[in-house]
Amino acid sequence: MTARKRPRNKAYRPRLPGARTLRTQPWKLRNVFLPLEEILNQMEASGLSDVDQRGTPIFQSTKDSCWYTSAPAINGVADAYEIHAKRSGRPMPIEALRRVANKLHYGCMVFASDVVAMRAALDTLRAETMGMTEDYAHSLLQAVCIQIELERISA
């Protein structure tokens, strides 16, 4: 005796490729937030950050194993969420990121309270990022890249 399947009444509606949320792509979130967390972990463990020959704080990316300057990277993330705050109308906790980036840039001492505040801000930003679509996150990235190029040209 064969069982007869009921017909499927639900219509197939394909989604646009960029309409997927970043919640379904945790590797992209990890590529953004893991280097920042590793900078904080290192500062908590040793009290210092890796520096190059000139004394500039640097970090190694887990994605491509290259070394990058810490302060501009943190400021870049803060710039992206500042643009997101303007677009969405929701306040983003980027002050802690800017404070740590400025302290690293000028060689000041980063206190434990700064690290705790930045961790809390990163948790909030990660939760906000999970609701973003792939296309929206890409547009934020493009806006930050354009902003950095305009600042470089005007300087």
Side-chain angles (χ1 to χ4, degrees):
M1 179 184 252
T2 61
R4 193 178 138 185
K5 288 178 89 175
R6 293 179 52 197
R8 183 179 167 109
N9 294 332
K10 186 176 177 183
Y12 173 68
R13 291 186 203 111
R15 288 189 183 177
L16 296 174
R20 295 187 330 221
T21 60
L22 293 177
R23 181 182 321 273
T24 62
Q25 303 171 23
W27 60 92
K28 291 185 180 181
L29 289 173
R30 190 171 39 247
N31 287 340
V32 173
F33 292 105
L34 187 63
L36 300 175
E37 290 173 352
E38 287 180 352
I39 291 170
L40 294 177
N41 290 340
Q42 184 179 16
M43 283 193 287
E44 280 183 338
S46 67
L48 302 170
S49 177
D50 286 333
V51 292
D52 61 4
Q53 293 85 7
R54 295 174 295 178
T56 306
I58 57 174
F59 70 96
Q60 187 173 18
S61 172
T62 56
K63 184 177 179 183
D64 57 4
S65 298
C66 292
W67 290 89
Y68 296 99
T69 310
S70 298
I74 296 171
N75 275 327
V77 171
D79 289 342
Y81 285 99
E82 183 178 8
I83 293 170
H84 174 63
K86 289 178 184 174
R87 288 182 183 178
S88 67
R90 291 189 301 271
M92 296 289 133
I94 58 172
E95 297 82 21
L97 275 73
R98 297 252 191 235
R99 187 176 332 115
V100 170
N102 286 336
K103 286 185 175 188
L104 288 174
H105 178 72
Y106 292 111
C108 298
M109 191 167 153
V110 178
F111 298 110
S113 60
D114 297 328
V115 173
V116 169
M118 186 167 162
R119 278 198 194 279
L122 288 178
D123 290 340
T124 304
L125 296 178
R126 180 182 290 109
E128 184 72 24
T129 306
M130 286 187 180
M132 292 180 187
T133 63
E134 212 174 348
D135 285 344
Y136 181 76
H138 184 67
S139 73
L140 281 178
L141 176 66
Q142 292 292 25
V144 170
C145 289
I146 290 170
Q147 178 182 348
I148 289 170
E149 281 300 312
L150 288 174
E151 289 173 359
R152 187 182 61 82
I153 289 171
S154 67

PDB file of all heavy atoms in Angstrom, residues 9-39:
ATOM      1  N   ASN A   9       1.137  23.295  -0.886  1.00  0.00           N
ATOM      2  CA  ASN A   9       0.362  24.493  -1.205  1.00  0.00           C
ATOM      3  C   ASN A   9       1.179  25.773  -1.094  1.00  0.00           C
ATOM      4  O   ASN A   9       0.753  26.811  -1.561  1.00  0.00           O
ATOM      5  CB  ASN A   9      -0.855  24.601  -0.286  1.00  0.00           C
ATOM      6  CG  ASN A   9      -1.837  23.484  -0.533  1.00  0.00           C
ATOM      7  OD1 ASN A   9      -1.914  22.961  -1.647  1.00  0.00           O
ATOM      8  ND2 ASN A   9      -2.581  23.110   0.488  1.00  0.00           N
ATOM      9  N   LYS A  10       2.325  25.676  -0.452  1.00  0.00           N
ATOM     10  CA  LYS A  10       3.145  26.856  -0.242  1.00  0.00           C
ATOM     11  C   LYS A  10       3.930  27.173  -1.515  1.00  0.00           C
ATOM     12  O   LYS A  10       4.644  26.322  -2.051  1.00  0.00           O
ATOM     13  CB  LYS A  10       4.116  26.615   0.919  1.00  0.00           C
ATOM     14  CG  LYS A  10       4.911  27.807   1.301  1.00  0.00           C
ATOM     15  CD  LYS A  10       5.763  27.492   2.514  1.00  0.00           C
ATOM     16  CE  LYS A  10       6.621  28.671   2.869  1.00  0.00           C
ATOM     17  NZ  LYS A  10       7.487  28.358   3.995  1.00  0.00           N
ATOM     18  N   ALA A  11       3.823  28.395  -1.982  1.00  0.00           N
ATOM     19  CA  ALA A  11       4.525  28.799  -3.200  1.00  0.00           C
ATOM     20  C   ALA A  11       5.994  29.066  -2.879  1.00  0.00           C
ATOM     21  O   ALA A  11       6.341  29.553  -1.797  1.00  0.00           O
ATOM     22  CB  ALA A  11       3.894  30.050  -3.782  1.00  0.00           C
ATOM     23  N   TYR A  12       6.857  28.762  -3.823  1.00  0.00           N
ATOM     24  CA  TYR A  12       8.290  29.003  -3.665  1.00  0.00           C
ATOM     25  C   TYR A  12       8.574  30.471  -3.944  1.00  0.00           C
ATOM     26  O   TYR A  12       8.213  30.998  -4.995  1.00  0.00           O
ATOM     27  CB  TYR A  12       9.082  28.116  -4.620  1.00  0.00           C
ATOM     28  CG  TYR A  12      10.560  28.421  -4.637  1.00  0.00           C
ATOM     29  CD1 TYR A  12      11.343  28.146  -3.534  1.00  0.00           C
ATOM     30  CD2 TYR A  12      11.156  29.003  -5.742  1.00  0.00           C
ATOM     31  CE1 TYR A  12      12.691  28.431  -3.525  1.00  0.00           C
ATOM     32  CE2 TYR A  12      12.501  29.292  -5.754  1.00  0.00           C
ATOM     33  CZ  TYR A  12      13.259  29.002  -4.649  1.00  0.00           C
ATOM     34  OH  TYR A  12      14.593  29.299  -4.649  1.00  0.00           O
ATOM     35  N   ARG A  13       9.204  31.124  -3.001  1.00  0.00           N
ATOM     36  CA  ARG A  13       9.579  32.525  -3.158  1.00  0.00           C
ATOM     37  C   ARG A  13      11.070  32.654  -2.917  1.00  0.00           C
ATOM     38  O   ARG A  13      11.517  32.654  -1.765  1.00  0.00           O
ATOM     39  CB  ARG A  13       8.821  33.386  -2.156  1.00  0.00           C
ATOM     40  CG  ARG A  13       7.360  33.467  -2.445  1.00  0.00           C
ATOM     41  CD  ARG A  13       6.682  34.459  -1.504  1.00  0.00           C
ATOM     42  NE  ARG A  13       5.288  34.114  -1.438  1.00  0.00           N
ATOM     43  CZ  ARG A  13       4.690  33.620  -0.373  1.00  0.00           C
ATOM     44  NH1 ARG A  13       5.350  33.452   0.740  1.00  0.00           N
ATOM     45  NH2 ARG A  13       3.418  33.308  -0.405  1.00  0.00           N
ATOM     46  N   PRO A  14      11.839  32.766  -3.970  1.00  0.00           N
ATOM     47  CA  PRO A  14      13.289  32.871  -3.766  1.00  0.00           C
ATOM     48  C   PRO A  14      13.660  34.205  -3.119  1.00  0.00           C
ATOM     49  O   PRO A  14      13.050  35.227  -3.399  1.00  0.00           O
ATOM     50  CB  PRO A  14      13.858  32.767  -5.177  1.00  0.00           C
ATOM     51  CG  PRO A  14      12.756  33.188  -6.062  1.00  0.00           C
ATOM     52  CD  PRO A  14      11.472  32.813  -5.372  1.00  0.00           C
ATOM     53  N   ARG A  15      14.644  34.166  -2.249  1.00  0.00           N
ATOM     54  CA  ARG A  15      15.135  35.380  -1.613  1.00  0.00           C
ATOM     55  C   ARG A  15      16.278  35.958  -2.422  1.00  0.00           C
ATOM     56  O   ARG A  15      17.014  35.235  -3.093  1.00  0.00           O
ATOM     57  CB  ARG A  15      15.653  35.080  -0.220  1.00  0.00           C
ATOM     58  CG  ARG A  15      14.582  34.773   0.755  1.00  0.00           C
ATOM     59  CD  ARG A  15      15.177  34.700   2.123  1.00  0.00           C
ATOM     60  NE  ARG A  15      14.164  34.328   3.090  1.00  0.00           N
ATOM     61  CZ  ARG A  15      14.426  34.128   4.350  1.00  0.00           C
ATOM     62  NH1 ARG A  15      15.658  34.241   4.781  1.00  0.00           N
ATOM     63  NH2 ARG A  15      13.476  33.797   5.172  1.00  0.00           N
ATOM     64  N   LEU A  16      16.429  37.248  -2.308  1.00  0.00           N
ATOM     65  CA  LEU A  16      17.569  37.890  -2.936  1.00  0.00           C
ATOM     66  C   LEU A  16      18.824  37.474  -2.183  1.00  0.00           C
ATOM     67  O   LEU A  16      18.802  37.325  -0.959  1.00  0.00           O
ATOM     68  CB  LEU A  16      17.403  39.401  -2.906  1.00  0.00           C
ATOM     69  CG  LEU A  16      16.213  39.950  -3.696  1.00  0.00           C
ATOM     70  CD1 LEU A  16      16.072  41.437  -3.455  1.00  0.00           C
ATOM     71  CD2 LEU A  16      16.379  39.656  -5.170  1.00  0.00           C
ATOM     72  N   PRO A  17      19.947  37.313  -2.873  1.00  0.00           N
ATOM     73  CA  PRO A  17      21.165  36.840  -2.192  1.00  0.00           C
ATOM     74  C   PRO A  17      21.643  37.760  -1.069  1.00  0.00           C
ATOM     75  O   PRO A  17      22.151  37.302  -0.072  1.00  0.00           O
ATOM     76  CB  PRO A  17      22.201  36.785  -3.319  1.00  0.00           C
ATOM     77  CG  PRO A  17      21.428  36.753  -4.570  1.00  0.00           C
ATOM     78  CD  PRO A  17      20.119  37.433  -4.300  1.00  0.00           C
ATOM     79  N   GLY A  18      21.495  39.048  -1.203  1.00  0.00           N
ATOM     80  CA  GLY A  18      21.978  39.972  -0.181  1.00  0.00           C
ATOM     81  C   GLY A  18      20.991  40.244   0.923  1.00  0.00           C
ATOM     82  O   GLY A  18      21.249  41.035   1.820  1.00  0.00           O
ATOM     83  N   ALA A  19      19.831  39.604   0.891  1.00  0.00           N
ATOM     84  CA  ALA A  19      18.797  39.862   1.890  1.00  0.00           C
ATOM     85  C   ALA A  19      18.931  38.971   3.120  1.00  0.00           C
ATOM     86  O   ALA A  19      18.155  39.100   4.052  1.00  0.00           O
ATOM     87  CB  ALA A  19      17.417  39.673   1.259  1.00  0.00           C
ATOM     88  N   ARG A  20      19.927  38.081   3.142  1.00  0.00           N
ATOM     89  CA  ARG A  20      20.139  37.223   4.312  1.00  0.00           C
ATOM     90  C   ARG A  20      20.735  38.060   5.437  1.00  0.00           C
ATOM     91  O   ARG A  20      21.590  38.905   5.206  1.00  0.00           O
ATOM     92  CB  ARG A  20      21.079  36.077   3.969  1.00  0.00           C
ATOM     93  CG  ARG A  20      20.501  35.136   2.956  1.00  0.00           C
ATOM     94  CD  ARG A  20      21.350  33.924   2.759  1.00  0.00           C
ATOM     95  NE  ARG A  20      22.761  34.151   2.982  1.00  0.00           N
ATOM     96  CZ  ARG A  20      23.719  33.646   2.228  1.00  0.00           C
ATOM     97  NH1 ARG A  20      23.439  32.899   1.210  1.00  0.00           N
ATOM     98  NH2 ARG A  20      24.978  33.888   2.507  1.00  0.00           N
ATOM     99  N   THR A  21      20.294  37.766   6.637  1.00  0.00           N
ATOM    100  CA  THR A  21      20.841  38.506   7.772  1.00  0.00           C
ATOM    101  C   THR A  21      22.192  37.919   8.170  1.00  0.00           C
ATOM    102  O   THR A  21      22.503  36.759   7.875  1.00  0.00           O
ATOM    103  CB  THR A  21      19.892  38.454   8.983  1.00  0.00           C
ATOM    104  OG1 THR A  21      19.707  37.100   9.360  1.00  0.00           O
ATOM    105  CG2 THR A  21      18.566  39.111   8.672  1.00  0.00           C
ATOM    106  N   LEU A  22      22.974  38.717   8.846  1.00  0.00           N
ATOM    107  CA  LEU A  22      24.296  38.265   9.285  1.00  0.00           C
ATOM    108  C   LEU A  22      24.205  37.286  10.445  1.00  0.00           C
ATOM    109  O   LEU A  22      25.182  36.640  10.783  1.00  0.00           O
ATOM    110  CB  LEU A  22      25.160  39.466   9.659  1.00  0.00           C
ATOM    111  CG  LEU A  22      25.517  40.369   8.478  1.00  0.00           C
ATOM    112  CD1 LEU A  22      26.314  41.568   8.960  1.00  0.00           C
ATOM    113  CD2 LEU A  22      26.286  39.618   7.427  1.00  0.00           C
ATOM    114  N   ARG A  23      23.024  37.143  11.036  1.00  0.00           N
ATOM    115  CA  ARG A  23      22.823  36.148  12.082  1.00  0.00           C
ATOM    116  C   ARG A  23      23.067  34.746  11.526  1.00  0.00           C
ATOM    117  O   ARG A  23      23.530  33.859  12.229  1.00  0.00           O
ATOM    118  CB  ARG A  23      21.394  36.255  12.610  1.00  0.00           C
ATOM    119  CG  ARG A  23      21.038  35.301  13.705  1.00  0.00           C
ATOM    120  CD  ARG A  23      19.575  35.461  14.128  1.00  0.00           C
ATOM    121  NE  ARG A  23      19.112  36.830  14.170  1.00  0.00           N
ATOM    122  CZ  ARG A  23      19.228  37.647  15.217  1.00  0.00           C
ATOM    123  NH1 ARG A  23      19.806  37.227  16.299  1.00  0.00           N
ATOM    124  NH2 ARG A  23      18.766  38.867  15.166  1.00  0.00           N
ATOM    125  N   THR A  24      22.774  34.565  10.244  1.00  0.00           N
ATOM    126  CA  THR A  24      22.954  33.249   9.617  1.00  0.00           C
ATOM    127  C   THR A  24      24.366  33.054   9.084  1.00  0.00           C
ATOM    128  O   THR A  24      24.663  32.005   8.530  1.00  0.00           O
ATOM    129  CB  THR A  24      21.956  33.066   8.463  1.00  0.00           C
ATOM    130  OG1 THR A  24      22.212  34.068   7.456  1.00  0.00           O
ATOM    131  CG2 THR A  24      20.531  33.172   8.951  1.00  0.00           C
ATOM    132  N   GLN A  25      25.233  34.060   9.241  1.00  0.00           N
ATOM    133  CA  GLN A  25      26.602  33.993   8.748  1.00  0.00           C
ATOM    134  C   GLN A  25      27.575  34.385   9.861  1.00  0.00           C
ATOM    135  O   GLN A  25      28.195  35.444   9.817  1.00  0.00           O
ATOM    136  CB  GLN A  25      26.762  34.921   7.544  1.00  0.00           C
ATOM    137  CG  GLN A  25      25.788  34.602   6.444  1.00  0.00           C
ATOM    138  CD  GLN A  25      25.795  35.646   5.366  1.00  0.00           C
ATOM    139  OE1 GLN A  25      26.768  36.374   5.198  1.00  0.00           O
ATOM    140  NE2 GLN A  25      24.727  35.737   4.614  1.00  0.00           N
ATOM    141  N   PRO A  26      27.741  33.514  10.851  1.00  0.00           N
ATOM    142  CA  PRO A  26      28.560  33.891  12.014  1.00  0.00           C
ATOM    143  C   PRO A  26      30.034  34.104  11.688  1.00  0.00           C
ATOM    144  O   PRO A  26      30.731  34.810  12.421  1.00  0.00           O
ATOM    145  CB  PRO A  26      28.371  32.716  12.969  1.00  0.00           C
ATOM    146  CG  PRO A  26      27.923  31.588  12.128  1.00  0.00           C
ATOM    147  CD  PRO A  26      27.171  32.184  10.975  1.00  0.00           C
ATOM    148  N   TRP A  27      30.544  33.538  10.606  1.00  0.00           N
ATOM    149  CA  TRP A  27      31.948  33.747  10.262  1.00  0.00           C
ATOM    150  C   TRP A  27      32.214  35.199   9.889  1.00  0.00           C
ATOM    151  O   TRP A  27      33.303  35.704  10.116  1.00  0.00           O
ATOM    152  CB  TRP A  27      32.366  32.802   9.131  1.00  0.00           C
ATOM    153  CG  TRP A  27      31.580  32.977   7.869  1.00  0.00           C
ATOM    154  CD1 TRP A  27      31.891  33.787   6.820  1.00  0.00           C
ATOM    155  CD2 TRP A  27      30.347  32.343   7.527  1.00  0.00           C
ATOM    156  NE1 TRP A  27      30.934  33.709   5.853  1.00  0.00           N
ATOM    157  CE2 TRP A  27      29.968  32.814   6.261  1.00  0.00           C
ATOM    158  CE3 TRP A  27      29.533  31.433   8.161  1.00  0.00           C
ATOM    159  CZ2 TRP A  27      28.804  32.400   5.609  1.00  0.00           C
ATOM    160  CZ3 TRP A  27      28.384  31.023   7.508  1.00  0.00           C
ATOM    161  CH2 TRP A  27      28.026  31.488   6.263  1.00  0.00           C
ATOM    162  N   LYS A  28      31.233  35.883   9.340  1.00  0.00           N
ATOM    163  CA  LYS A  28      31.417  37.297   9.010  1.00  0.00           C
ATOM    164  C   LYS A  28      31.446  38.146  10.273  1.00  0.00           C
ATOM    165  O   LYS A  28      32.239  39.091  10.367  1.00  0.00           O
ATOM    166  CB  LYS A  28      30.323  37.752   8.056  1.00  0.00           C
ATOM    167  CG  LYS A  28      30.459  37.138   6.688  1.00  0.00           C
ATOM    168  CD  LYS A  28      29.450  37.668   5.717  1.00  0.00           C
ATOM    169  CE  LYS A  28      29.663  36.997   4.358  1.00  0.00           C
ATOM    170  NZ  LYS A  28      28.709  37.494   3.365  1.00  0.00           N
ATOM    171  N   LEU A  29      30.601  37.812  11.227  1.00  0.00           N
ATOM    172  CA  LEU A  29      30.636  38.519  12.514  1.00  0.00           C
ATOM    173  C   LEU A  29      31.958  38.281  13.226  1.00  0.00           C
ATOM    174  O   LEU A  29      32.534  39.193  13.822  1.00  0.00           O
ATOM    175  CB  LEU A  29      29.490  38.054  13.405  1.00  0.00           C
ATOM    176  CG  LEU A  29      28.088  38.482  13.002  1.00  0.00           C
ATOM    177  CD1 LEU A  29      27.058  37.806  13.871  1.00  0.00           C
ATOM    178  CD2 LEU A  29      27.957  39.976  13.085  1.00  0.00           C
ATOM    179  N   ARG A  30      32.444  37.048  13.158  1.00  0.00           N
ATOM    180  CA  ARG A  30      33.709  36.705  13.802  1.00  0.00           C
ATOM    181  C   ARG A  30      34.856  37.495  13.177  1.00  0.00           C
ATOM    182  O   ARG A  30      35.757  37.951  13.885  1.00  0.00           O
ATOM    183  CB  ARG A  30      33.945  35.201  13.691  1.00  0.00           C
ATOM    184  CG  ARG A  30      35.091  34.711  14.516  1.00  0.00           C
ATOM    185  CD  ARG A  30      35.202  33.196  14.573  1.00  0.00           C
ATOM    186  NE  ARG A  30      34.916  32.525  13.313  1.00  0.00           N
ATOM    187  CZ  ARG A  30      33.850  31.731  13.107  1.00  0.00           C
ATOM    188  NH1 ARG A  30      32.984  31.520  14.064  1.00  0.00           N
ATOM    189  NH2 ARG A  30      33.662  31.150  11.937  1.00  0.00           N
ATOM    190  N   ASN A  31      34.842  37.686  11.858  1.00  0.00           N
ATOM    191  CA  ASN A  31      35.913  38.436  11.195  1.00  0.00           C
ATOM    192  C   ASN A  31      35.953  39.894  11.633  1.00  0.00           C
ATOM    193  O   ASN A  31      37.009  40.521  11.601  1.00  0.00           O
ATOM    194  CB  ASN A  31      35.758  38.367   9.683  1.00  0.00           C
ATOM    195  CG  ASN A  31      36.125  37.016   9.129  1.00  0.00           C
ATOM    196  OD1 ASN A  31      36.833  36.247   9.767  1.00  0.00           O
ATOM    197  ND2 ASN A  31      35.625  36.717   7.944  1.00  0.00           N
ATOM    198  N   VAL A  32      34.818  40.444  12.041  1.00  0.00           N
ATOM    199  CA  VAL A  32      34.773  41.835  12.481  1.00  0.00           C
ATOM    200  C   VAL A  32      35.161  41.957  13.950  1.00  0.00           C
ATOM    201  O   VAL A  32      35.985  42.789  14.324  1.00  0.00           O
ATOM    202  CB  VAL A  32      33.368  42.444  12.249  1.00  0.00           C
ATOM    203  CG1 VAL A  32      33.270  43.825  12.871  1.00  0.00           C
ATOM    204  CG2 VAL A  32      33.060  42.505  10.772  1.00  0.00           C
ATOM    205  N   PHE A  33      34.563  41.118  14.797  1.00  0.00           N
ATOM    206  CA  PHE A  33      34.691  41.313  16.239  1.00  0.00           C
ATOM    207  C   PHE A  33      35.838  40.552  16.893  1.00  0.00           C
ATOM    208  O   PHE A  33      36.325  40.968  17.938  1.00  0.00           O
ATOM    209  CB  PHE A  33      33.372  40.959  16.927  1.00  0.00           C
ATOM    210  CG  PHE A  33      32.277  41.932  16.597  1.00  0.00           C
ATOM    211  CD1 PHE A  33      31.270  41.587  15.705  1.00  0.00           C
ATOM    212  CD2 PHE A  33      32.268  43.191  17.145  1.00  0.00           C
ATOM    213  CE1 PHE A  33      30.267  42.489  15.394  1.00  0.00           C
ATOM    214  CE2 PHE A  33      31.272  44.095  16.836  1.00  0.00           C
ATOM    215  CZ  PHE A  33      30.268  43.739  15.952  1.00  0.00           C
ATOM    216  N   LEU A  34      36.283  39.459  16.328  1.00  0.00           N
ATOM    217  CA  LEU A  34      37.345  38.677  16.956  1.00  0.00           C
ATOM    218  C   LEU A  34      38.657  39.451  17.093  1.00  0.00           C
ATOM    219  O   LEU A  34      39.278  39.410  18.162  1.00  0.00           O
ATOM    220  CB  LEU A  34      37.566  37.357  16.205  1.00  0.00           C
ATOM    221  CG  LEU A  34      38.545  36.390  16.865  1.00  0.00           C
ATOM    222  CD1 LEU A  34      38.008  35.943  18.220  1.00  0.00           C
ATOM    223  CD2 LEU A  34      38.780  35.188  15.968  1.00  0.00           C
ATOM    224  N   PRO A  35      39.123  40.184  16.062  1.00  0.00           N
ATOM    225  CA  PRO A  35      40.370  40.951  16.272  1.00  0.00           C
ATOM    226  C   PRO A  35      40.256  41.984  17.393  1.00  0.00           C
ATOM    227  O   PRO A  35      41.210  42.166  18.163  1.00  0.00           O
ATOM    228  CB  PRO A  35      40.594  41.635  14.920  1.00  0.00           C
ATOM    229  CG  PRO A  35      39.869  40.808  13.936  1.00  0.00           C
ATOM    230  CD  PRO A  35      38.683  40.262  14.663  1.00  0.00           C
ATOM    231  N   LEU A  36      39.101  42.625  17.505  1.00  0.00           N
ATOM    232  CA  LEU A  36      38.930  43.612  18.574  1.00  0.00           C
ATOM    233  C   LEU A  36      38.947  42.938  19.946  1.00  0.00           C
ATOM    234  O   LEU A  36      39.554  43.455  20.892  1.00  0.00           O
ATOM    235  CB  LEU A  36      37.618  44.367  18.380  1.00  0.00           C
ATOM    236  CG  LEU A  36      37.480  45.140  17.064  1.00  0.00           C
ATOM    237  CD1 LEU A  36      36.099  45.743  16.950  1.00  0.00           C
ATOM    238  CD2 LEU A  36      38.544  46.201  16.941  1.00  0.00           C
ATOM    239  N   GLU A  37      38.310  41.775  20.031  1.00  0.00           N
ATOM    240  CA  GLU A  37      38.316  41.053  21.300  1.00  0.00           C
ATOM    241  C   GLU A  37      39.707  40.540  21.646  1.00  0.00           C
ATOM    242  O   GLU A  37      40.093  40.515  22.818  1.00  0.00           O
ATOM    243  CB  GLU A  37      37.317  39.904  21.243  1.00  0.00           C
ATOM    244  CG  GLU A  37      35.879  40.380  21.234  1.00  0.00           C
ATOM    245  CD  GLU A  37      34.894  39.265  20.998  1.00  0.00           C
ATOM    246  OE1 GLU A  37      35.325  38.135  20.693  1.00  0.00           O
ATOM    247  OE2 GLU A  37      33.686  39.530  21.121  1.00  0.00           O
ATOM    248  N   GLU A  38      40.470  40.143  20.636  1.00  0.00           N
ATOM    249  CA  GLU A  38      41.838  39.687  20.907  1.00  0.00           C
ATOM    250  C   GLU A  38      42.726  40.824  21.379  1.00  0.00           C
ATOM    251  O   GLU A  38      43.601  40.621  22.222  1.00  0.00           O
ATOM    252  CB  GLU A  38      42.419  39.020  19.666  1.00  0.00           C
ATOM    253  CG  GLU A  38      41.809  37.656  19.398  1.00  0.00           C
ATOM    254  CD  GLU A  38      42.374  36.989  18.160  1.00  0.00           C
ATOM    255  OE1 GLU A  38      43.140  37.631  17.415  1.00  0.00           O
ATOM    256  OE2 GLU A  38      42.040  35.817  17.947  1.00  0.00           O
ATOM    257  N   ILE A  39      42.512  42.025  20.857  1.00  0.00           N
ATOM    258  CA  ILE A  39      43.252  43.193  21.351  1.00  0.00           C
ATOM    259  C   ILE A  39      42.937  43.395  22.830  1.00  0.00           C
ATOM    260  O   ILE A  39      43.836  43.593  23.656  1.00  0.00           O
ATOM    261  CB  ILE A  39      42.891  44.459  20.534  1.00  0.00           C
ATOM    262  CG1 ILE A  39      43.428  44.352  19.107  1.00  0.00           C
ATOM    263  CG2 ILE A  39      43.434  45.714  21.208  1.00  0.00           C
ATOM    264  CD1 ILE A  39      42.914  45.435  18.183  1.00  0.00           C
TER     265      ILE A  39
END
